[in-house]
Amino acid sequence: MKLSEMKNQSFDPPNLQAWKEAAEKALKGRSVESLHTGTYEGIELKPLFTQEDLPANDRVESYIPGVNKKVSSVQEWKIAQVIKRRTWDELTHALQAAISRGQNCLSFSVEDMQMDEGFDNFIHGTAEENLPLFNIEKNNDDLADRLSSLADSDESLKGSHGVIGYDSISEIAFRQGDCLLDEWTEKTVAVSSSLPHIKTIIINTTPYHNQGANAVQELAYAFSTGVLYFDIFQEKGWSPEEIAGKIHVHFSAGSHFFMELSKIRAFKKVWKDILTSYGIDKELCERFISISIETSQFNKSALDRHVNLLRTGGEAFSAVLSGVDFLVVHPFDSVSGETTPLSERAARNIQLILGEEAHLNKVIDPAGGSYYVEWLTEEVGRKAWSEFLRIDSEGGMADLLKKGDIQESVNKVLEKRLADLSTRSQSMIGTNIYANPEDLLTGVEPSDDYRLSLPFEKLRRRAEEIRRAGEKPAAGIIGLGELKSHKPRADFVSGFLSTGGIHSHLSRPCFTKEDVLAFMEETNYPYYVVCGRDEEYDSWLPLIVETAGNYHSQIKVDAAGKLNEEKMAAWTQLGLNGCIHRNQNMLEKLNDLLTIWEEEKK
C-alpha cells in the first residue's frame, strides 16, 4: 500500500460487542464475566470500562480543591517525612539536613522525648524556616501544651501553622472501646486559642487501616467521626466555619493503586457535601479540605524489606494523583524499629522524583476523566455513604465503638485478608511468595497495629531459633523421572517451604528405589517431599514411604499436589504424612512442618 493510500485509511469506530467477541475468543470459550474480580469493599471490577460507566454529569467534577485555578497557582504538597531522633539536638540537625535535601515541612516524632528546654530551643531554632509543623502522634498532648505555652509568651510563635493533634476516636476509642472525649475536647479548645493557625482537630483513619479495614470502612468512619466532632465543638460555641478550618483528615494509602486513588477523591466530594449541610458556602468548602496521607505500614514486611521500597513508591504515586496536602513516605526499614540515613533519603527522594522528574507538581487531577477512576470514585463514595448512614442510624461512631461493632466489622475484613494470604489468593512478594529463606529478621518495633506479614514473620523466627540451636531446617525434594516431569511441582514446593524459612534440596532424577534411598542416605533429612505426576504416585508413594520408614522410622514424607481423597486416606494409612498443594493454608502447614526440626533438636 502506498503512503498516499495509507493516509486515507481509518480505523473502525470502537465497538464494545466486537471487543467482547475478540476477548471471549482469546479466552477459549470462557465469558468476559469470568474476568470480573471482587474487592474487599464488596465492589465487582470489570476488565473494561467505557463512557457508559461514567457517573451522572452533575457528579463528574474535580475532587482536588482549587482545580479551577490556573496551573501556575497549584500548591505543591508538603513532604512531611517524619524525623525521629533520641535528643532535641539530634532532631534539629536531622531536620535541617532533610530541609537542605528537599523536605518542606517540619514533621517530627516526639515519642520518648521530654518536653523541656530542649524542645523550646528546637522550636525557636526551626521557626525561622517558616515551614508548617506536622505531628499527629497518639497522645501528643505534651507537645501541643508546650507549644501553646510558648506561643502565649512569644508572639512570634503565634503565626505557627500546620497540623498538631491526634484523633481521640480512632487512637483510643477504637482500641479501648471508650475514651475521655471531654478531656480531649477541653485540651483541643485551649490549644486552638493559643495557636490559631494550627489545625488541631484530627480525623485519623490509619488505626482502622492498620487493623485491616477496607476503603469503604475508612471513609465511613472518617465521615462519622467528622460529624461527631462537629456536634461536639458546636456545643462549645464554635461556628461551622471555625470547626471546618480546624479539621485535618489523615489516611493511609495501601497497595490497591486505583482503590486508594479513588478513596481520597471520593472523600473530598462527600466531605464537601457534608460541609455544605452545616451551612458552609459550597464555594468556600474547598479551602476547608486539609488531607495528609502516609504510605501503609499494614502491608510492609520485615522480610525482604527492600521490596517495601516498591510498595511505598506506588502508594505515594496514588496519594499524589489523588491530591494531597501532606505526604509521609515511610522508609523501607521502618517496621524493624531503626531507620538509616539511606532509607530516610530514599523515602524522601520518592516524593522528589514524583514532583521534579514526573512533574506531578505541575498538573491537576491527572486521573480526572478516566472512565474507570470516575466510576470507582463514585462507587466507593456511594458505599461509604451507605455505611455512614448505618452508623448514624445506630447511634453514631462513639456508641458503636463502645459496643464493639466497628471493631468486629474491621476484624472480619482482616480475617479475609489473612486467609487470602495464607492460601496465596493474594501475593506478598518476599513474604508468602518468592521468599528468601536466608533472610534474617532483626528487631520489629512494638506496635498496637497489625501487619499482614506478622504470621509469616513468626514462622521465620521459629526457623531462626531452630538454626541457632544447631539444626538448620532443610528438606529433600524427591524428583520422580525426567526433570521436565517433576520440575514444576519441585519449584512450587521449594517456594512453599522457603516461606517458612525451610531450605530445600532437589534430588537427581529418581528412576528406581535405589535412587531414592541413595538420596536419603546422602542428605539424611528428617523430611522429604515427593514430586512427580499424579499417575506415577500409585506405584511410587507406597514404595517411597516404605523405603523412608526402613531407613529411619522418624522420617516424614509428603507428596506434591492435591491428591484424590480416597487414595490419600489409603496412603496415609501406609505412613504418608500429607501433601503440599496450591490453595492450601500455608500457615497451618508450615507451622506443622517446623515441629519436625524442633523435635529433632530436643
Side-chain angles (χ1 to χ4, degrees), residues 40 209-214 217 298 408-420 450-452:
Y40 291 109
H209 175 95
N210 286 344
Q211 289 297 128
N214 61 41
Q217 290 172 320
F298 179 66
E408 183 180 351
S409 296
V410 172
N411 193 56
K412 286 180 180 178
V413 182
L414 175 61
E415 290 176 351
K416 180 67 168 67
R417 292 184 191 274
L418 287 174
D420 287 345
Y450 195 85
R451 288 186 296 107
L452 282 172

Side-chain angles (χ1 to χ4, degrees), residues 379-487:
E379 191 70 9
V380 172
R382 182 182 63 79
K383 282 184 170 289
W385 184 252
S386 295
E387 177 64 5
F388 162 73
L389 292 178
R390 181 193 73 83
I391 294 170
D392 187 65
S393 67
E394 295 182 15
M397 196 68 180
D399 283 352
L400 291 190
L401 283 168
K402 289 179 184 178
K403 296 175 183 176
D405 176 278
I406 302 298
Q407 294 89 333
E408 183 180 351
S409 296
V410 172
N411 193 56
K412 286 180 180 178
V413 182
L414 175 61
E415 290 176 351
K416 180 67 168 67
R417 292 184 191 274
L418 287 174
D420 287 345
L421 270 188
S422 65
T423 57
R424 283 187 175 175
S425 297
Q426 294 289 331
S427 297
M428 195 170 187
I429 306 301
T431 299
N432 77 336
I433 191 170
Y434 305 127
N436 179 4
E438 295 292 342
D439 268 352
L440 297 177
L441 288 166
T442 52
V444 176
E445 188 170 314
S447 172
D448 293 330
D449 296 323
Y450 195 85
R451 288 186 296 107
L452 282 172
S453 65
L454 287 180
F456 296 91
E457 291 173 21
K458 186 177 180 180
L459 284 174
R460 298 296 287 273
R461 284 196 182 85
R462 285 180 63 189
E464 288 179 20
E465 289 172 5
I466 295 169
R467 186 182 305 182
R468 283 195 292 269
E471 183 71 25
K472 179 181 178 180
I477 298 179
I478 300 172
L480 302 181
E482 297 290 345
L483 180 64
K484 63 181 180 181
S485 67
H486 66 250
K487 190 174 188 306

Side-chain angles (χ1 to χ4, degrees), residues 266-291:
F267 171 80
K268 293 177 180 180
K269 176 64 183 74
V270 177
W271 187 242
K272 284 168 63 177
D273 291 342
I274 290 175
L275 293 181
T276 56
S277 73
Y278 283 96
I280 299 175
D281 189 290
K282 190 170 185 177
E283 297 301 317
L284 300 177
C285 288
E286 290 179 348
R287 68 185 180 91
F288 289 127
I289 297 178
S290 177
I291 293 178

Side-chain angles (χ1 to χ4, degrees), residues 227-240 243 278:
V227 168
L228 174 61
Y229 288 163
F230 258 99
D231 293 343
I232 288 173
F233 286 97
Q234 279 187 315
E235 290 180 2
K236 295 294 180 181
W238 288 22
S239 70
I243 299 169
Y278 283 96

Side-chain angles (χ1 to χ4, degrees), residues 295-311:
T295 55
S296 176
Q297 292 288 74
F298 179 66
N299 63 3
K300 300 306 180 294
S301 178
L303 297 166
D304 204 356
R305 59 184 184 171
H306 290 97
V307 179
N308 293 333
L309 266 172
L310 306 178
R311 296 187 180 110

Side-chain angles (χ1 to χ4, degrees), residues 500-511:
I502 302 171
H503 294 71
S504 57
H505 180 180
L506 177 61
S507 71
R508 292 181 292 275
C510 294
F511 297 96

Side-chain angles (χ1 to χ4, degrees), residues 330-371:
H330 290 295
F332 65 82
D333 54 1
S334 60
V335 297
S336 66
E338 292 291 335
T339 59
T340 64
L342 170 64
S343 66
E344 291 180 356
R345 185 180 181 108
R348 183 173 56 250
N349 283 350
I350 286 174
Q351 299 199 49
L352 294 173
I353 289 171
L354 290 173
E356 302 298 330
E357 295 189 21
H359 305 298
L360 293 181
N361 57 2
K362 297 178 176 63
V363 293
I364 302 176
D365 196 11
S370 160
Y371 300 149

